[in-house]
Amino acid sequence: MTDHPDDRIALFIDGANLYSAARALNCDLDFKKLSTWFVGEGRLVRAYYYTAVVEGEEFSPVRPLVDWLDYNGFTVVTKPVKRFTDAQGHSRTKGNMDIEIAVDMLELAPRLDQAVLFSGDGDFRRLVQAMQAKGVRVTVVSTVKSQPPQISDDLRRQADAFIDLADIMNQVGKPKAPMNQGVARTLDRSDRA
């Protein structure tokens, strides 16, 4: 990724966007491997993970991940999901983290050599340009190897470097659990009987 082993690097992970890219590739991420991989590329200053959370639910599928990240060196930035009714009367939710990502990147820019943005959202093109103007190289991680591609062409062109998530899954991914693992175990036991 870099020829600068002393680079001060920070990771900025758009949780929802990265989840969509990994799902489009039919992969699961191992965040421990992910942070370790980037530590090998330079000096990891900070690793941020951004996600919206639904408040008031007894169980949130994102809560175990958020807790694990928080206990394992990631700076987790959350905000509550907002509920609204659209023009057709349907209940919708919104949990965009773009502003939080932009503010944190710009605030940390003076202490970075490289920012790694995990998102394919084209709205970040201008943010990448602003970081570059401050002397920070920006690498974007997403994928073009899914249908449809998960990255905006404008964002990919603006970035100093692009890493396709599909190309690094061997280093930062984990095997996806088979859907019918319980059925396979049951069949295996019955074969032995």
Side-chain angles (χ1 to χ4, degrees):
M1 182 183 89
T2 182
D3 295 326
H4 307 92
D6 293 329
D7 269 6
R8 297 166 299 166
I9 300 172
L11 311 180
F12 299 89
I13 303 170
D14 179 345
N17 200 285
L18 181 59
Y19 173 78
S20 293
R23 189 178 67 201
L25 294 170
N26 197 31
C27 298
D28 286 329
L29 289 169
D30 182 325
F31 286 94
K32 181 71 173 169
K33 287 181 181 178
L34 181 95
S35 63
T36 301
W37 193 68
F38 281 97
V39 165
E41 298 296 323
R43 292 182 298 144
L44 187 61
V45 173
R46 184 92 64 237
Y48 289 94
Y49 184 89
Y50 301 85
T51 190
V53 293
V54 178
E55 292 184 335
E57 284 190 357
E58 195 167 308
F59 175 76
S60 167
V62 77
R63 180 53 58 195
L65 173 62
V66 166
D67 289 343
W68 186 92
L69 292 169
D70 200 30
Y71 284 114
N72 286 278
F74 286 78
T75 301
V76 178
V77 180
T78 64
K79 75 176 179 184
V81 168
K82 295 192 185 209
R83 297 184 187 278
F84 66 97
T85 304
D86 68 12
Q88 290 76 32
H90 298 106
S91 179
R92 303 277 186 211
T93 58
K94 181 179 180 180
N96 191 316
M97 300 296 292
D98 292 5
I99 295 298
E100 290 78 3
I101 294 169
V103 168
D104 289 344
M105 282 182 79
L106 290 168
E107 281 185 345
L108 202 55
R111 294 181 292 286
L112 295 178
D113 299 302
Q114 183 172 9
V116 182
L117 175 62
F118 291 80
S119 183
D121 188 341
D123 290 344
F124 288 125
R125 188 204 62 78
R126 181 66 182 101
L127 171 62
V128 169
Q129 188 179 40
M131 292 292 286
Q132 291 166 332
K134 294 179 177 295
V136 178
R137 289 185 316 283
V138 180
T139 297
V140 173
V141 180
S142 188
T143 187
V144 295
K145 295 182 178 178
S146 63
Q147 286 303 322
Q150 298 293 305
I151 184 164
S152 153
D153 192 52
D154 289 343
L155 178 61
R156 189 170 150 214
R157 289 173 189 264
Q158 185 66 50
D160 294 295
F162 170 70
I163 298 174
D164 198 299
L165 188 59
D167 294 340
I168 63 170
M169 283 311 292
N170 287 339
Q171 292 89 2
V172 302
K174 59 185 173 182
K176 200 158 180 75
M179 292 296 282
N180 293 324
Q181 193 171 6
V183 173
R185 284 192 196 132
T186 304
L187 291 173
D188 187 37
R189 285 189 200 121
S190 66
D191 288 343
R192 284 185 251 153

